[in-house]
Amino acid sequence: MRALALLVDRIVTLGTSGASDMPERAAVRDALRLLAARIREGAMLCRIIDGQFVLAGEAVDRGLTRDDPLLAGLLQRCFVHGVGGITVRQGAAPGELFTLASMLASAPRGDDVVPFSSDTPTTLSSIGAEPLPRELLRSWSVLVTPAERPTAHLLLTPAEGLAAISATMADGAGASPTVVALTRLASSHSDEAANAAVDQLVQLLDDAELRGEARVVEGIARACMAQLHAVGSGSTRLALERLLRRLQHRRTLELLGERLPEVPDRLQLLTLFARAGEIAVEILVNQLMRVQDATARRAYFDSIVSLDLGATLLFELVRDPRWFVVRNAVALLGEMGVEHADIAMLPLVAHEDDRIRIAVSRSLLRLGTVKALAGLHGLIDDRNAEVRRIAAAAYGLTSTASGSVRPPAARLAMALERETDEDVALEMLASLGRLGSADAVQRLLRIALPPQQPQDGTERPAPRESYLRVAAIESLIRARGQAVVPALEGLKNDPDPDVAAAAKRMDA
C-alpha cells in the first residue's frame, strides 16, 4: 500500500513542478517500478472502512497511517475521490498501475458526487432518479469501487416496496394497472387471489412486450423476485412460480437485458436469468457484442461471469471472424475458468491482431493450466510488448495441475538479452528469480555483478543499466535468500549508488 502511496505522491509532485523536471520524472518512474515489483509478489485487496485502511481483511493501525505522511495523504485522497475499495490483481501491468495512481493523484472536479454502491440486495435498492456509479475505475487488473453512502430512508414493507419499484418503472401515477396488480399480488394470502393477480400481470407483460417497454417489464420482474423471497414456501408460491416461468420467455429476457446496465443492484435480475439457463447467457452475450458504451459492456461481462453458464456458446464465438467478438469470448472464458478453454484459445496465440493476442495471453495466464502456461512460454519473442510481458510472467508460474514442470531458463535469458522494453525486462528478471534454477541464478549474477575483464585484452564492457542490476539483486535474494549474500557483498561499494543501496538492503 505504501508503494502506491509513494507513486501517487510522486505524480502529485511532478504535476506541481512541471513535466519538464527530469529528476521528478525519474522519481515517478522509480516509484512505478517499485509498485509493479510489489504487485508481482501478490494482489492488493484494500478497503476503506470507518476512516482506515483494511488490507486483505486486516485493519491497518490508525496510528501508523497517521504518522506516515504518504499513507495519510493517500487515505485523504481516497476520501476526496469517494473511494471505498481498491483491488489490484497480481501481476498487473505497469500502465494499469500508473492509471490507478494518476486517478488518485488528480484533483476531483467540482461537480463530483460521492458514489454509492450497495452489495446488499434490498427491495428498494434500485429506487433513485440517477443511480450513482458502481465503480470509479476498471481495467483488466484494477478495480476501484466507490464508498457506500448511508441511506436515510427506512426499508418499506414488501407491499409498499413492490408498489414503489413499479411506480418508478411504469408510466403514469400511482394508480397505473401495473402498480395495482403488483399491490394485489403482494397482499394476496390465498392461491386464488394470487393467481388472479398473476393473470393480470401476464396480460400486462404481453402488452409491455408489444410496446417494447423494458422499464415496465423490469419493474414486474424485480417485484416478483422480491415477493418470492418474502413468501418463501407460503401458499402463494405456486402462483409466483407461474409468473416466473412467464418472465423467462425470450422476448421478456431481451427487454430485461436492455435494462441490466442501468440497474444498480442486479442480483434479483441475475437470479431470474440464472433460472432461464443457456438462453439467458446467449441474450447477454449478444447484448455485450452490440453495445458501444464501456460501462454497459462491463455490466454485461460481469453478469455473464456471475452466471457461470454458456461455455458452449463461448467456444463457438472464439472462431467468430469479428475481432471484438473473439476478444470478449476469450476474456469471458478466462475469467470464468472454463475447463478445456485453453485448448480452444491456444490456436489464437498466432493471430495477426494484437488485441486478440493480448486478450488470449491474459486469459491463458488467468487459467494457469499446464497447456496454457506452455503456450505462453512460446510468446516470449512476440512483437507486442504486453504479450511478451505476460509471457515472461508465465515463466515464473507453476501450474497446480499434476505433471507440471518448471520451464528451462535458457530461452527466457536469451530473450532478456534482446529485450528493449523496460517493463518486459523487469518481468523477465523477476521470473528468473522465481525459477531459481542454477542456470537462472548464474544469469542473474552476470547482470548484477560488474563485467569481468576479457582475457583477450579488449576493453571491459560497461555494466548493465542501474535498474536492471537492482532488479537482478532483488531476484537473486528471492531465489536463494541469504545464501547469495556473499556473492553480492562487493556490490555494497559499487560506484552506482542505486546498486550499492540495493546491496546494503540485503542485510536488513
Side-chain angles (χ1 to χ4, degrees):
M1 200 68 199
R2 197 174 190 281
L4 174 60
L6 177 63
L7 178 57
V8 172
D9 180 74
R10 294 295 182 266
I11 293 176
V12 172
T13 303
L14 176 63
T16 57
S17 63
S20 61
D21 196 325
M22 294 306 296
E24 296 300 339
R25 291 173 65 87
V28 171
R29 180 199 61 200
D30 293 341
L32 179 58
R33 288 173 178 168
L34 176 62
L35 178 58
R38 297 294 178 266
I39 295 300
R40 287 191 197 101
E41 301 303 317
M44 177 192 297
L45 304 173
C46 173
R47 295 189 66 191
I48 294 90
I49 301 176
D50 294 333
Q52 67 182 127
F53 289 123
V54 178
L55 297 178
E58 297 291 333
V60 178
D61 182 75
R62 292 180 185 272
L64 177 64
T65 304
R66 182 182 61 250
D67 297 337
D68 188 323
L70 290 177
L71 288 178
L74 179 62
L75 183 61
Q76 180 60 34
R77 288 189 169 274
C78 287
F79 288 150
V80 170
H81 288 281
V83 174
I86 302 174
T87 302
V88 182
R89 284 178 176 169
Q90 182 178 2
E96 294 178 289
L97 300 176
F98 186 78
T99 301
L100 167 63
S102 298
M103 186 209 81
L104 295 173
S106 63
R109 300 186 305 272
D111 58 348
D112 276 355
V113 180
V114 178
F116 166 70
S117 173
S118 175
D119 296 327
T120 305
T122 63
T123 304
L124 298 179
S125 58
S126 69
I127 294 180
E130 295 184 9
L132 292 164
R134 296 169 60 90
E135 53 199 39
L136 302 177
L137 176 66
R138 185 68 174 262
S139 65
W140 176 257
S141 303
V142 176
L143 172 63
V144 181
T145 53
E148 295 185 359
R149 176 188 295 175
T151 55
H153 60 73
L154 298 175
L155 294 180
L156 306 182
T157 64
E160 293 170 325
L162 295 172
I165 289 177
S166 303
T168 64
M169 302 298 176
D171 50 354
S176 69
T178 304
V179 173
V180 172
L182 287 171
T183 305
R184 287 179 58 192
L185 178 62
S187 59
S188 298
H189 298 290
S190 66
D191 288 337
E192 182 179 1
N195 277 311
V198 167
D199 289 339
Q200 185 178 0
L201 287 169
V202 168
Q203 183 61 50
L204 290 170
L205 278 173
D206 292 339
D207 295 341
E209 284 184 7
L210 288 174
R211 296 192 299 269
E213 295 179 342
R215 294 175 66 88
V216 174
V217 174
E218 180 205 343
I220 295 174
R222 291 172 63 82
C224 178
M225 297 301 297
Q227 182 66 7
L228 186 69
H229 177 75
V231 301
S233 58
S235 59
T236 62
R237 186 176 182 90
L238 289 177
L240 287 169
E241 290 288 352
R242 181 161 66 90
L243 180 56
L244 281 175
R245 288 193 295 272
R246 172 59 184 81
L247 286 166
Q248 293 172 40
H249 288 190
R250 185 181 187 91
R251 178 53 182 160
T252 305
L253 293 173
E254 288 175 347
L255 290 172
L256 289 175
E258 293 177 6
R259 293 292 305 156
L260 201 61
E262 309 298 327
V263 180
D265 179 7
R266 306 184 187 117
L267 180 61
Q268 289 175 325
L269 294 186
L270 289 179
T271 303
L272 177 60
F273 275 96
R275 282 172 167 254
E278 299 280 342
I279 186 175
V281 176
E282 179 186 347
I283 290 170
L284 293 181
V285 169
N286 290 336
Q287 297 276 13
L288 172 64
M289 303 308 174
R290 289 200 304 265
V291 73
Q292 298 297 320
D293 180 69
T295 303
R297 283 200 303 269
R298 176 53 61 179
Y300 289 124
F301 187 95
D302 291 343
S303 299
I304 296 168
V305 171
S306 66
L307 291 178
D308 198 17
L309 298 168
T312 303
L313 172 63
L314 295 176
F315 281 134
E316 295 174 357
L317 294 177
V318 166
R319 298 187 294 271
D320 195 279
R322 296 166 292 179
W323 72 267
F324 59 91
V325 173
V326 178
R327 180 197 60 187
N328 288 330
V330 299
L332 285 167
L333 288 170
E335 196 71 18
M336 295 163 63
V338 177
E339 189 176 4
H340 304 309
D342 50 0
I343 299 175
M345 286 190 281
L346 281 172
L348 295 173
V349 299
H351 200 282
E352 295 181 355
D353 196 316
D354 287 1
R355 295 167 295 189
I356 290 180
R357 293 203 316 284
I358 291 173
V360 170
S361 300
R362 288 171 173 171
S363 292
L364 288 174
L365 191 68
R366 183 79 168 152
L367 291 172
T369 62
V370 175
K371 291 181 179 179
L373 295 181
L376 287 173
H377 296 160
L379 298 177
I380 197 64
D381 295 312
D382 192 272
R383 66 174 179 268
N384 183 273
E386 177 62 8
V387 174
R388 295 197 304 274
R389 189 192 69 81
I390 296 171
Y395 271 87
L397 301 178
T398 302
S399 174
T400 57
S402 60
S404 61
V405 294
R406 288 187 178 273
R411 185 173 184 180
L412 180 61
M414 289 188 293
L416 176 60
E417 296 298 327
R418 300 187 296 268
E419 187 54 58
T420 57
D421 187 280
E422 293 184 5
D423 294 330
V424 179
L426 291 172
E427 197 72 58
M428 290 176 171
L429 288 169
S431 288
L432 286 172
R434 292 192 186 96
L435 285 174
S437 63
D439 187 21
V441 170
Q442 288 300 316
R443 305 270 182 172
L444 290 171
L445 283 172
R446 293 175 197 169
I447 295 173
L449 297 175
Q452 299 296 321
Q453 179 69 46
Q455 296 182 355
D456 58 5
T458 58
E459 184 179 355
R460 177 184 297 182
R464 298 292 188 108
E465 294 183 69
S466 176
Y467 76 94
L468 290 175
R469 298 181 66 194
V470 171
I473 293 172
E474 294 174 348
S475 294
L476 284 165
I477 295 298
R478 184 185 302 109
R480 296 298 172 89
Q482 292 300 309
V484 79
V485 170
L488 302 175
E489 190 70 27
L491 294 180
K492 294 181 179 179
N493 298 317
D494 195 271
D496 190 315
D498 293 333
V499 174
K504 292 175 182 177
R505 287 197 296 269
M506 295 186 301
D507 299 330

